[in-house]
Amino acid sequence: GAGVSQSPRYKVAKRGQDVALRCDPISGHVSLFWYQQALGQGPEFLTYFQNEAQLDKSGLPSDRFFAERPEGSVSTLKIQRTQQEDSAVYLCASSLPPRTDSPLHFGNGTRLTVT
Amino acid sequence: DQQVKQNSPSLSVQEGRISILNCDYTNSMFDYFLWYKKYPAEGPTFLISISSIKDKNEDGRFTVFLNKSAKHLSLHIVPSQPGDSAVYFCAASANGNKLVFGAGTILRVKS
């Protein structure tokens, strides 16, 4: 399909494990975002890439969270030493313009459960 | 500090009637506002947007109204259809910065 693809759809991790979440944005989209959505809440901004450059990582909750987009397309969000409070849906979104306020195309998310 | 607030967690409307979803914001620098719709197990999808230079934007059954003095916007859906049942998120941005989302309102349209 032509939409934003995220994998895995579901991930269960034991507390302390490292996880890696993948995002394939729409081809040609310059801007890529990661959002975290806790149960019953709206998406909360984590980080933003313009091509391969990470221009804003102000939303990453701790230094256990790391994101990369080395070739300006696929992105990976890595969480080290997972904690129970990391349990959430992680949403990736992309947009064509190199700006942060244009309508975003979201993937279906990865639901992370830390036990 | 919630900059975008959707104070109604849920709304139930009869098919064919108008649905009105509300959103309040606190940051006077916000200049662009969007509504997203989300079905279970899917990501949010963009619905409609409005710039702060306008007070109304319409797209088919969907109209967004912006009242800058009250820092309030609303989404009107008329007529409401059962397929409109979803979670609706209000979002806002300032000066081209990242989108800030509200907590969402669950809309149920009864047939």
Side-chain angles (χ1 to χ4, degrees):
Chain A
V4 177
S5 177
Q6 291 188 247
S7 61
R9 284 299 310 274
Y10 304 93
K11 177 69 179 176
V12 179
K14 289 188 178 177
R15 185 169 167 238
Q17 278 185 333
D18 298 348
V19 297
L21 312 180
R22 178 188 169 104
C23 173
D24 280 272
I26 293 172
S27 178
H29 275 199
V30 169
S31 298
L32 185 144
F33 301 79
W34 284 97
Y35 278 81
Q36 179 191 59
Q37 186 176 14
L39 191 63
Q41 300 298 316
E44 295 214 0
F45 172 81
L46 293 177
T47 187
Y48 161 62
F49 290 85
Q50 187 181 117
N51 295 306
E52 69 278 3
Q54 189 174 20
L55 298 186
D56 187 345
K57 54 182 180 179
S58 61
L60 296 176
S62 76
D63 58 7
R64 296 186 296 105
F65 286 70
F66 172 76
E68 60 184 6
R69 193 186 185 198
E71 296 176 1
S73 56
V74 171
S75 177
T76 304
L77 176 66
K78 297 179 179 176
I79 309 173
Q80 296 176 324
R81 304 180 304 281
T82 52
Q83 303 294 315
Q84 282 192 315
E85 61 263 27
D86 300 335
S87 296
V89 175
Y90 290 85
L91 293 165
C92 176
S94 69
S95 68
L96 179 59
R99 53 185 294 169
T100 54
D101 66 342
S102 57
L104 303 179
H105 300 263
F106 281 90
N108 288 334
T110 294
R111 180 176 295 278
L112 173 65
T113 304
V114 181
T115 60
Chain B
D1 174 27
Q2 263 194 306
Q3 297 186 68
V4 178
K5 300 179 185 179
Q6 293 177 255
N7 292 319
S8 297
S10 65
L11 173 68
S12 187
V13 170
Q14 196 67 34
E15 180 180 7
R17 306 296 289 266
I18 186 171
S19 296
I20 300 176
L21 297 111
N22 294 302
C23 178
D24 296 294
Y25 60 95
T26 56
N27 187 343
S28 57
M29 299 300 292
F30 284 148
D31 56 7
Y32 185 59
F33 305 88
L34 306 89
W35 284 94
Y36 283 80
K37 174 180 176 180
K38 184 184 182 302
Y39 293 119
E42 294 184 10
T45 55
F46 170 71
L47 200 53
I48 193 168
S49 63
I50 187 167
S51 162
S52 60
I53 62 173
K54 294 186 174 181
D55 54 19
K56 176 182 173 182
N57 188 26
E58 192 171 351
D59 183 1
R61 296 186 297 114
F62 303 91
T63 303
V64 56
F65 295 92
L66 175 62
N67 182 335
K68 288 189 291 293
S69 61
K71 294 192 179 69
H72 177 85
L73 68 155
S74 61
L75 174 68
H76 293 211
I77 307 173
V78 58
S80 301
Q81 299 173 353
D84 296 330
S85 297
V87 181
Y88 289 79
F89 291 100
C90 171
S93 72
N95 300 321
N97 285 320
K98 55 187 176 285
L99 295 182
V100 178
F101 285 81
T105 296
I106 300 170
L107 173 66
R108 294 188 186 91
V109 179
K110 299 176 290 187
S111 54

